[in-house]
Amino acid sequence: MLNFDDKTAVAVSGGKDSVSLLHILAKIEKKHPKASLLAITVDEGIKGYRDEALKIASENCDELGIKHVVTSFRELYGFTLDEIVERLKRKGESGLTPCAYCGVLRRKALNTAARNVGADKLATAHTLDDETQTILLNILHGDVLRIAREKPVTDEAHPKLVQKVKPFCEIPEKETALYAYVRRIRFQSTPCPYASEALRNDIRQMLNRMEEKHTGIKFTVFKSMERIRPALEQIVKKEGLKECYECGEPTTERICKTCQMLRELA
Ligand SMILES: [Zn+2]
């Protein structure tokens, strides 16, 4: 996933997974004089939640001597997530959850920030649990082609897209949590107040129940998808990436998802 001379940007939310990843990559990076590391945190603008996480992320960066870059929804898009949720409530008609908006906007924010600092890789702390949940979620949503795009190491599909890597994709969440506890790493443990992905929660519970009865089942789901993915990629390839008519960012449509969402909110 990483080369000896990579400049790696780590997406750090302040939760246990991302803070553990930062500590582990910092340890590895020390052995590679040509490599460099920095952390990126996206401030979505969630009152009473993100402020604490930002502080924890920045304390961990200080401790490790890592540069910390903070980017925000307000500065990039003109709205905080709190304001977006307020607008969605007033409109009342949108079927999308705050998580759906946040996911799209955060993805673009991370890519833009990583590109601006000249990063070769953008590392995110998605664990085996996140990956298997997403696989099943995409299947249950009927969005299977997405599985081809969201993989442990993304393709260099467009010069404006920083290659994304997920070093924890085969690590169970329990182990990243254990690492943080054993190393006495400070992390934010309060969940996001908007966390409302009902279907993902059901899938998480189901997978945890199955894992308890049939050890290794999360790996099996993950590995099965790794084997099917090349076939899915053959279909996805035909789509190709264009540049958004409004913001110039890579997209499969004429106008990217972010711009579509911002239009709806305006
Ligand atoms: Zn756009």
Side-chain angles (χ1 to χ4, degrees):
M1 286 186 182
L2 300 168
N3 293 320
F4 72 98
D5 57 351
D6 271 343
K7 181 173 189 175
T8 306
V10 190
V12 178
S13 67
K16 60 177 166 28
D17 301 333
S18 64
V19 179
S20 291
L21 179 64
L22 186 69
H23 279 254
I24 291 169
L25 288 182
K27 205 171 157 184
I28 296 171
E29 189 257 347
K30 272 194 194 135
K31 296 177 201 152
H32 297 84
K34 284 189 173 172
S36 62
L37 205 60
L38 68 122
I40 298 175
T41 303
V42 180
D43 179 2
E44 305 93 348
I46 305 171
K47 218 164 178 275
Y49 167 74
R50 182 47 73 202
D51 331 324
E52 192 205 352
L54 265 174
K55 206 173 145 248
I56 292 170
S58 123
E59 281 169 5
N60 276 284
C61 289
D62 284 348
E63 186 196 324
L64 297 166
I66 290 171
K67 188 182 166 195
H68 188 208
V69 175
V70 180
T71 180
S72 73
F73 278 10
R74 150 120 339 134
E75 129 206 4
L76 288 169
Y77 311 121
F79 302 103
T80 64
L81 188 66
D82 286 339
E83 287 163 358
I84 291 172
V85 172
E86 206 39 58
R87 273 169 191 250
L88 290 177
K89 268 190 206 156
R90 249 183 286 151
K91 284 179 78 183
E93 71 220 22
S94 176
L96 291 177
T97 61
C99 291
Y101 274 84
C102 189
V104 169
L105 300 181
R106 198 179 40 217
R107 184 189 306 249
K108 182 170 174 179
L110 280 171
N111 182 65
T112 307
R115 192 178 64 213
N116 287 346
V117 297
D120 300 297
K121 304 276 164 67
L122 171 62
T124 60
H126 292 96
T127 61
L128 176 67
D129 294 69
D130 297 319
E131 292 304 286
T132 46
Q133 286 160 23
T134 303
I135 288 165
L136 294 185
L137 197 62
N138 284 328
I139 291 173
L140 297 179
H141 269 157
D143 203 358
V144 278
L145 294 185
R146 222 191 182 140
I147 293 168
R149 274 179 250 125
E150 288 172 23
K151 50 188 177 175
V153 179
T154 56
D155 296 325
E156 292 171 73
H158 193 281
K160 282 185 176 176
L161 287 178
V162 179
Q163 193 175 26
K164 280 197 286 181
V165 295
K166 300 174 182 173
F168 279 171
C169 65
E170 293 186 31
I171 310 291
E173 205 174 281
K174 273 186 179 169
E175 291 182 19
T176 62
L178 184 64
Y179 183 84
Y181 282 114
V182 169
R183 299 291 309 269
R184 296 174 193 278
I185 293 169
R186 257 199 91 199
F187 60 86
Q188 190 186 37
S189 43
T190 39
C192 175
Y194 296 126
S196 62
E197 287 180 295
L199 187 55
R200 183 180 284 271
N201 285 335
D202 288 345
I203 293 170
R204 176 185 295 120
Q205 284 171 18
M206 180 192 78
L207 281 167
N208 287 344
R209 267 201 314 272
M210 299 273 282
E211 182 72 35
E212 240 173 70
K213 273 176 117 176
H214 314 277
T215 308
I217 214 152
K218 288 176 191 171
F219 278 109
T220 312
V221 172
F222 180 79
K223 290 291 177 193
S224 300
M225 209 38 75
E226 290 295 290
R227 293 189 69 183
I228 298 171
R229 187 174 283 118
L232 289 174
E233 280 175 343
Q234 291 302 313
I235 309 170
V236 176
K237 251 178 209 155
K238 288 170 200 154
E239 263 187 298
L241 283 176
K242 303 181 270 278
E243 288 191 358
C244 170
Y245 192 72
E246 294 210 338
C247 71
E249 293 292 316
T251 173
T252 50
E253 292 158 84
R254 202 178 80 93
I255 294 182
C256 77
K257 253 248 158 69
T258 308
C259 290
Q260 285 176 29
M261 285 179 164
L262 293 172
R263 261 191 190 179
E264 276 169 38
L265 291 167

